[in-house]
Amino acid sequence: MSKIEIKNLNKNFKFGKDKILKDINLSFDSNKIYGLFGENGAGKSTLMNLIADYTFPTDGQVTLDNENVHDNDKALSKIYYMNQNNMYPKNEKVKKIFELTKSIYKDYDVQLQDKLVKKFQLNIKTRFNKLSTGYKSIVKIIIALCVPCEFIILDEPTLGLDARNRDIFYRELIESYSEEPRTFIISTHIIEEIDKLVSNVVMIADGKVVLNDTSDNIRAKAYSVNGPMDLVSDYTKDLSVIGKESLGQYVTIDVMGSLPNKKVPSGVKVTKIELQKLIVNLMNKDGANDN
């Protein structure tokens, strides 16, 4: 089974000693869907660029099946990176871009491409630079789902897409993954839309990995405790608090870890936290710690 491993990786800013990424150690296993989360500037795009060999680490390395990906055509042929930059010829028609991609990838799925073109209602005779932001994303999405690569990295794949086309994308991604499992690494700020989709979660804050676990494990240890302030505060006093909201004498405290081995007080309600709220809480917590 193929695996991408990131070992002791550091990346400095171009003309400085300050680090964008700090001692990153991660692995991305075969046939899983990862959510890669973090605030703008946290280092997500830099990490994705390093995996795809678009930029180079200051220290450490990225390997695929124990081979360094840098200048390694064999390894890089297994990785496809859909990013926010427009890397296609601006004046080229979409049809020509598809043909060019097909000529590069031997087992490119033309049948799936044609199906997606119809579903997204994409006019392939349009020049790429004449497309809206959403339809530029759609062209990239179609290619990402059709290339025969084992690792697909998607950076804000739904940028500019309306609700209908976002729904098509997620449905087609699930169907494509079910028919031909491979690894997807999805970075997005619309966390609630991929909450039930991802099997693993990686979160980066201030250039460091602050969360790396299966989504099931994360959900199993993240809770909201709601009720009268005094009762909730007492019940959660020894827990790891990641968020707090107050409304009059009532409070909601979000915690991460094991719940106390004692009875929940009458009038206090304990519920699981949705992934979106959990990630936002952790972002705010790390941001508060930095100040």
Side-chain angles (χ1 to χ4, degrees):
M1 302 289 280
S2 291
K3 177 187 287 190
I4 290 176
E5 293 184 276
I6 300 160
K7 304 172 184 177
N8 306 316
L9 187 144
N10 293 280
K11 178 65 176 177
N12 292 2
F13 285 98
K14 190 172 183 180
F15 298 109
K17 295 181 180 180
D18 291 337
K19 289 183 170 63
I20 306 172
L21 295 174
K22 307 168 185 177
D23 196 29
I24 303 293
N25 287 277
L26 276 176
S27 63
F28 295 99
D29 296 328
S30 289
N31 305 338
K32 292 185 178 181
I33 300 178
Y34 290 84
L36 178 60
F37 304 121
E39 293 183 297
N40 289 334
K44 305 185 305 298
S45 293
T46 300
L47 178 61
M48 290 183 282
N49 279 310
L50 285 161
I51 294 172
D53 200 36
Y54 283 24
T55 189
F56 319 117
T58 304
D59 301 297
Q61 61 180 349
V62 179
T63 65
L64 195 161
D65 297 338
N66 297 315
E67 293 187 12
N68 199 317
V69 302
H70 179 50
D71 281 344
N72 185 335
D73 290 342
K74 178 183 175 184
L76 292 171
S77 69
K78 299 178 182 180
I79 300 170
Y80 184 82
Y81 179 27
M82 172 195 164
N83 61 26
Q84 296 180 44
N85 296 326
N86 293 322
M87 304 179 66
Y88 307 109
K90 293 182 178 179
N91 294 317
E92 201 68 84
K93 291 182 178 180
V94 173
K95 180 180 179 181
K96 191 69 175 178
I97 291 172
F98 286 152
E99 290 173 353
L100 176 62
T101 308
K102 179 187 172 184
S103 70
I104 295 171
Y105 293 95
K106 179 182 176 183
D107 296 318
Y108 180 82
D109 194 338
V110 177
Q111 186 174 358
L112 176 58
Q113 171 201 288
D114 293 343
K115 170 191 168 186
L116 294 176
V117 165
K118 291 179 181 177
K119 285 216 168 187
F120 283 116
Q121 300 175 5
L122 171 65
N123 183 354
I124 62 173
K125 295 180 181 179
T126 306
R127 297 187 186 279
F128 187 76
N129 66 334
K130 298 296 183 182
L131 295 172
S132 66
T133 299
Y135 270 97
K136 286 175 181 174
S137 293
I138 285 170
V139 172
K140 298 175 187 179
I141 284 170
I142 292 173
I143 292 172
L145 292 179
C146 293
V147 293
C149 298
E150 297 178 37
F151 294 87
I152 309 294
I153 305 171
L154 305 174
D155 186 8
E156 296 294 344
T158 59
L159 184 68
L161 268 62
D162 59 26
R164 172 189 174 275
N165 284 327
R166 291 201 307 273
D167 183 65
I168 292 173
F169 164 62
Y170 291 121
R171 288 176 183 274
E172 291 299 327
L173 188 151
I174 293 168
E175 183 176 333
S176 178
Y177 174 80
S178 299
E179 292 178 356
E180 189 176 345
R182 56 242 198 245
T183 299
F184 286 91
I185 303 170
I186 307 172
S187 177
T188 179
H189 288 96
I190 313 177
I191 300 168
E192 70 270 23
E193 292 191 348
I194 65 169
D195 187 342
K196 303 299 189 292
L197 188 67
V198 299
S199 59
N200 292 68
V201 171
V202 174
M203 180 179 164
I204 296 178
D206 190 30
K208 297 173 288 188
V209 175
V210 296
L211 187 63
N212 178 22
D213 205 343
T214 68
S215 53
D216 286 342
N217 284 345
I218 292 167
R219 290 189 184 97
K221 56 188 179 184
Y223 303 90
S224 282
V225 185
N226 173 264
M229 186 177 296
D230 56 341
L231 295 177
V232 172
S233 296
D234 181 66
Y235 182 74
T236 60
K237 64 181 179 181
D238 296 321
L239 304 183
S240 176
V241 175
I242 59 173
K244 183 177 180 180
E245 297 176 23
S246 300
L247 182 62
Q249 292 301 308
Y250 285 83
V251 65
T252 298
I253 294 180
D254 298 325
V255 299
M256 199 164 182
S258 299
L259 291 173
N261 187 22
K262 58 184 178 182
K263 184 178 179 181
V264 178
S266 176
V268 172
K269 185 177 180 181
V270 178
T271 58
K272 293 293 183 71
I273 301 178
E274 292 293 322
L275 188 60
Q276 166 91 7
K277 187 178 183 185
L278 171 62
I279 297 297
V280 170
N281 277 340
L282 289 174
M283 286 181 185
N284 291 336
K285 183 173 182 287
D286 282 293
N289 287 343
D290 289 340
N291 293 329

